[in-house]
Amino acid sequence: MKETFTYYIDAIVYAVIFALTIKLLEYFKIDLNYIYIIVFTLIIFVVGKMVLKKLLNNRKNQ
């Protein structure tokens, strides 16, 4: 149950990052293909998730 809940939260967080990136690029009037935006937001999402896991593991070890 906990893993399923984690997947839903991950999807929601990614959707928020994707939407905010699109809004930010529209605000600055930067026109990019959506494939670049998808790759950019996936990189941000994965790196952020890895950093959070590392921080949580360090906190558990202390």
Side-chain angles (χ1 to χ4, degrees):
M1 179 77 178
K2 186 177 178 183
E3 280 187 26
T4 306
F5 185 68
T6 304
Y7 292 138
Y8 286 124
I9 296 297
D10 286 347
I12 292 169
V13 168
Y14 178 73
V16 168
I17 291 172
F18 185 75
L20 288 175
T21 303
I22 290 175
K23 292 294 181 186
L24 187 68
L25 292 174
E26 286 177 354
Y27 178 76
F28 289 116
K29 294 178 178 51
I30 299 172
D31 189 24
L32 290 175
N33 292 339
Y34 277 102
I35 190 67
Y36 296 128
I37 297 171
I38 291 169
V39 170
F40 177 69
T41 54
L42 277 174
I43 291 170
I44 290 173
F45 179 71
V46 170
V47 169
K49 194 170 180 180
M50 287 172 32
V51 167
L52 283 176
K53 280 187 180 181
K54 187 173 183 177
L55 290 174
L56 290 176
N57 286 338
N58 286 342
R59 187 175 250 186
K60 284 182 184 178
N61 291 337
Q62 289 180 353

